[in-house]
Amino acid sequence: MHSSGAGVDGARGVLAVDSTAPGAAPRGLDAFRHGWETQIGDEVFQLPAFSPDTIGDFRVKGKVAKVHGAAIADLHAASATRTADAPGGDQDLVAMYVVQRGAWTLGGPPGCGERTVPAGQFLVRHVGRLTAFETSAHITAKFLVLPPGELKPLLGNRVITGPADSAEIRLLTAFTDMIHTTVADLGPAGVEATHGALIELAKAVAKGRFDDVEPRLAPALTQAAKDLADRRLADPELSPAMLARELNVSVRTLHRAFAAVGEQVTTYIRNRRLQEARLALTAPSGRLSISELAAHWQFADSSHFTRTFKKHYGQTPTEYARSAGAASPSPNRHLPGHGPAERT
């Protein structure tokens, strides 16, 4: 268990948790509760009482970030968890659950039944009182606690559910990932801007559409587009139009978002493909020919690839491979991987 980041005037906090190590489970819940109360605070979300079997076997790994009255928790639980039957306690917040693996079952308000959020789904609702919940073993999920001010009027008594790969959830996920990596270094103005963008993204989820004139959402849209492009770099259909369609925004909105952070969509795609090609040139198990690399990374032909590579790196692909000490092509050649390379 580790926690850090006391925050600026109580506006932010950072908590990292790992009780999955052998022998850590009996103390896992106590350590998690202490870290939450110290770094996040009960004024954001009051942790409920848990059942005895959960207390004895609490194996959770993840990270939590606080931004003003909001908290974002990315959790991976090896053990199943279950609250006490009647946790009790008044709350006034909006809760969002995005489940990638496993299932999260939520108790409802009086007179309403349970709801289960399965893998690949999200759920968002206003919460006025703590209710029971349980999670399956081996769950991976994102849990957001949000202040009700602007969101409660949108939700009312509705419970909104949908696919976790919807455009709005993609944007929200990309932005919360950015928050986890930057919140500890933000100043007061940065915390304020981040909080505002987070609320706008949550409103987009509630409304089922993205406000394409909201400038605070440009960083989230840009990051979501980059994440999607990184997964589709070898796809011949990859283009600004395809990214905009997948993210449910106009091409103009996408270009405007990239311009707001000083970038261009097509330049990002080209540079990422060049990065992957450069890695492939020094692959230890043998490399593709220049024409094969050009075709795989969607350059018009080997001449175009060579010119673009030299303009970007100052050497032709052949010169780069030679200077990097690349081995001669072997019979066991393979297509390079599709994962993201280092950013330049």
Side-chain angles (χ1 to χ4, degrees):
M1 174 71 64
H2 172 70
S3 62
S4 62
V8 177
D9 297 328
R12 69 185 183 196
V14 180
L15 168 66
V17 56
D18 185 358
S19 59
T20 60
R27 303 182 302 276
L29 180 57
D30 289 341
F32 181 75
R33 187 179 296 278
H34 175 74
W36 183 283
E37 292 173 351
T38 301
Q39 301 300 128
I40 309 302
D42 281 349
E43 74 280 1
V44 175
F45 178 72
Q46 179 185 346
L47 290 178
F50 285 88
S51 65
D53 53 335
T54 292
I55 294 172
D57 183 24
F58 189 83
R59 289 172 288 131
V60 174
K61 182 177 182 179
K63 52 192 176 183
V64 187
K66 173 189 174 185
V67 184
H68 280 314
I72 306 140
D74 283 7
L75 301 173
H76 310 271
S79 59
T81 64
R82 182 163 56 88
T83 61
D85 292 336
D90 292 331
Q91 297 274 268
D92 184 19
L93 55 88
V94 169
M96 186 182 302
Y97 310 81
V98 184
V99 179
Q100 287 89 38
R101 181 186 181 192
W104 197 317
T105 300
L106 307 167
C112 298
E114 292 181 339
R115 285 180 175 268
T116 296
V117 189
Q121 293 286 306
F122 79 86
L123 180 149
V124 58
R125 65 179 183 177
H126 173 255
V127 177
R129 186 172 178 80
L130 281 177
T131 56
F133 69 81
E134 61 181 285
T135 64
S136 66
H138 306 294
I139 188 173
T140 299
K142 187 182 295 287
F143 172 52
L144 287 87
V145 178
L146 302 163
E150 297 182 59
L151 295 167
K152 185 177 178 180
L154 288 175
L155 293 170
N157 294 322
R158 294 184 303 151
V159 175
I160 296 176
T161 61
D165 64 351
S166 69
E168 294 75 25
I169 291 293
R170 284 181 181 177
L171 292 174
L172 182 70
T173 298
F175 190 66
T176 57
D177 289 344
M178 290 172 60
I179 291 175
H180 279 303
T181 59
T182 62
V183 68
D185 299 319
L186 292 177
V191 171
E192 189 70 35
T194 297
H195 179 264
L198 180 62
I199 297 302
E200 289 297 324
L201 284 166
K203 288 162 65 177
V205 172
K207 293 186 291 187
R209 58 184 175 82
F210 176 78
D211 184 353
D212 62 3
V213 299
E214 173 51 63
R216 289 179 295 182
L217 300 188
L221 178 55
T222 302
Q223 189 60 50
K226 289 179 177 181
D227 291 345
L228 182 56
D230 285 346
R231 296 193 296 270
R232 305 283 286 273
L233 284 175
D235 187 341
E237 301 299 318
L238 177 60
S239 66
M242 186 272 274
L243 293 173
R245 184 172 61 251
E246 290 283 335
L247 295 170
N248 199 27
V249 298
S250 68
V251 176
R252 181 182 178 186
T253 295
L254 184 65
H255 282 304
R256 191 166 58 229
F258 269 78
V261 296
E263 297 186 73
Q264 294 182 336
V265 187
T266 52
T267 300
Y268 178 81
I269 294 171
R270 182 197 65 211
N271 289 348
R272 286 289 293 109
R273 284 171 165 169
L274 286 171
Q275 289 167 9
E276 292 290 347
R278 183 177 67 164
L279 289 179
L281 284 168
T282 56
S285 57
R287 63 181 177 89
L288 299 172
S289 68
I290 301 303
S291 60
E292 288 171 326
L293 278 175
H296 183 71
W297 294 117
Q298 305 305 315
F299 290 90
D301 51 43
S302 57
S303 296
H304 178 237
F305 170 60
T306 297
R307 288 195 304 272
T308 306
F309 190 98
K310 184 173 182 178
K311 183 177 180 180
H312 192 75
Y313 291 113
Q315 296 177 299
T316 67
T318 301
E319 290 168 344
Y320 176 82
R322 187 182 300 119
S323 66
S328 300
S330 72
N332 297 319
R333 295 181 302 176
H334 62 88
L335 289 178
H338 295 198
E342 78 277 2
R343 305 283 170 88
T344 60

Short mmCIF file of all heavy atoms in Angstrom, two decimals, residues 99-104 116-120 135-140:
data_model
loop_
_atom_site.label_atom_id
_atom_site.label_comp_id
_atom_site.label_asym_id
_atom_site.label_seq_id
_atom_site.Cartn_x
_atom_site.Cartn_y
_atom_site.Cartn_z
N VAL A 99 -17.17 -0.94 -16.43
CA VAL A 99 -16.62 -2.26 -16.12
C VAL A 99 -15.99 -2.87 -17.39
O VAL A 99 -16.66 -3.03 -18.40
CB VAL A 99 -17.71 -3.20 -15.58
CG1 VAL A 99 -17.14 -4.59 -15.28
CG2 VAL A 99 -18.33 -2.60 -14.31
N GLN A 100 -14.71 -3.17 -17.30
CA GLN A 100 -14.02 -3.82 -18.42
C GLN A 100 -14.02 -5.35 -18.28
O GLN A 100 -14.04 -6.07 -19.26
CB GLN A 100 -12.57 -3.34 -18.52
CG GLN A 100 -12.42 -1.91 -19.04
CD GLN A 100 -12.46 -0.89 -17.94
OE1 GLN A 100 -11.93 -1.11 -16.85
NE2 GLN A 100 -13.10 0.24 -18.19
N ARG A 101 -14.00 -5.82 -17.05
CA ARG A 101 -13.92 -7.27 -16.80
C ARG A 101 -14.67 -7.57 -15.52
O ARG A 101 -14.66 -6.78 -14.59
CB ARG A 101 -12.45 -7.69 -16.67
CG ARG A 101 -12.22 -9.18 -16.42
CD ARG A 101 -10.74 -9.43 -16.18
NE ARG A 101 -10.46 -10.84 -15.96
CZ ARG A 101 -9.31 -11.30 -15.49
NH1 ARG A 101 -8.33 -10.45 -15.20
NH2 ARG A 101 -9.12 -12.59 -15.31
N GLY A 102 -15.34 -8.73 -15.47
CA GLY A 102 -16.08 -9.09 -14.27
C GLY A 102 -17.44 -8.41 -14.24
O GLY A 102 -18.01 -8.06 -15.28
N ALA A 103 -17.98 -8.19 -13.05
CA ALA A 103 -19.30 -7.58 -12.91
C ALA A 103 -19.40 -6.85 -11.58
O ALA A 103 -18.79 -7.26 -10.58
CB ALA A 103 -20.39 -8.65 -13.00
N TRP A 104 -20.19 -5.77 -11.59
CA TRP A 104 -20.41 -4.95 -10.39
C TRP A 104 -21.91 -4.87 -10.18
O TRP A 104 -22.64 -4.32 -11.01
CB TRP A 104 -19.83 -3.55 -10.61
CG TRP A 104 -19.62 -2.74 -9.37
CD1 TRP A 104 -20.46 -2.62 -8.31
CD2 TRP A 104 -18.48 -1.90 -9.07
NE1 TRP A 104 -19.93 -1.78 -7.35
CE2 TRP A 104 -18.71 -1.33 -7.80
CE3 TRP A 104 -17.32 -1.59 -9.75
CZ2 TRP A 104 -17.81 -0.45 -7.20
CZ3 TRP A 104 -16.41 -0.72 -9.16
CH2 TRP A 104 -16.66 -0.17 -7.89
N THR A 116 -26.98 -4.99 -12.22
CA THR A 116 -25.64 -5.50 -12.44
C THR A 116 -25.03 -4.84 -13.67
O THR A 116 -25.67 -4.76 -14.72
CB THR A 116 -25.65 -7.03 -12.63
OG1 THR A 116 -26.10 -7.65 -11.42
CG2 THR A 116 -24.25 -7.55 -12.95
N VAL A 117 -23.82 -4.33 -13.50
CA VAL A 117 -23.07 -3.76 -14.62
C VAL A 117 -22.09 -4.82 -15.09
O VAL A 117 -21.09 -5.10 -14.40
CB VAL A 117 -22.32 -2.48 -14.20
CG1 VAL A 117 -21.74 -1.79 -15.43
CG2 VAL A 117 -23.22 -1.54 -13.42
N PRO A 118 -22.34 -5.48 -16.22
CA PRO A 118 -21.44 -6.53 -16.68
C PRO A 118 -20.24 -5.96 -17.43
O PRO A 118 -20.18 -4.75 -17.69
CB PRO A 118 -22.34 -7.35 -17.62
CG PRO A 118 -23.26 -6.32 -18.20
CD PRO A 118 -23.50 -5.30 -17.10
N ALA A 119 -19.33 -6.82 -17.78
CA ALA A 119 -18.15 -6.40 -18.54
C ALA A 119 -18.59 -5.76 -19.85
O ALA A 119 -19.51 -6.23 -20.52
CB ALA A 119 -17.25 -7.61 -18.81
N GLY A 120 -17.92 -4.67 -20.20
CA GLY A 120 -18.23 -3.98 -21.45
C GLY A 120 -19.37 -3.00 -21.36
O GLY A 120 -19.83 -2.49 -22.39
N THR A 135 -18.90 -6.96 -5.92
CA THR A 135 -18.16 -7.10 -7.17
C THR A 135 -17.66 -8.54 -7.28
O THR A 135 -17.36 -9.19 -6.27
CB THR A 135 -16.96 -6.15 -7.24
OG1 THR A 135 -16.01 -6.49 -6.21
CG2 THR A 135 -17.39 -4.70 -7.05
N SER A 136 -17.57 -9.01 -8.51
CA SER A 136 -17.05 -10.36 -8.74
C SER A 136 -15.54 -10.36 -8.53
O SER A 136 -14.88 -9.32 -8.53
CB SER A 136 -17.38 -10.81 -10.16
OG SER A 136 -16.68 -10.00 -11.10
N ALA A 137 -14.99 -11.55 -8.37
CA ALA A 137 -13.53 -11.68 -8.34
C ALA A 137 -12.98 -11.34 -9.72
O ALA A 137 -13.67 -11.49 -10.73
CB ALA A 137 -13.14 -13.08 -7.92
N HIS A 138 -11.76 -10.89 -9.75
CA HIS A 138 -11.06 -10.58 -11.00
C HIS A 138 -11.81 -9.54 -11.82
O HIS A 138 -11.97 -9.67 -13.03
CB HIS A 138 -10.82 -11.85 -11.81
CG HIS A 138 -10.12 -12.93 -11.05
ND1 HIS A 138 -8.82 -12.80 -10.60
CD2 HIS A 138 -10.56 -14.13 -10.59
CE1 HIS A 138 -8.47 -13.89 -9.93
NE2 HIS A 138 -9.51 -14.71 -9.91
N ILE A 139 -12.23 -8.48 -11.15
CA ILE A 139 -12.91 -7.39 -11.83
C ILE A 139 -11.91 -6.29 -12.17
O ILE A 139 -10.98 -6.03 -11.41
CB ILE A 139 -14.06 -6.83 -10.96
CG1 ILE A 139 -14.90 -5.82 -11.77
CG2 ILE A 139 -13.53 -6.17 -9.69
CD1 ILE A 139 -16.14 -5.33 -11.04
N THR A 140 -12.10 -5.67 -13.32
CA THR A 140 -11.35 -4.48 -13.70
C THR A 140 -12.39 -3.42 -14.03
O THR A 140 -13.23 -3.63 -14.91
CB THR A 140 -10.46 -4.74 -14.93
OG1 THR A 140 -9.51 -5.76 -14.61
CG2 THR A 140 -9.71 -3.48 -15.33
#
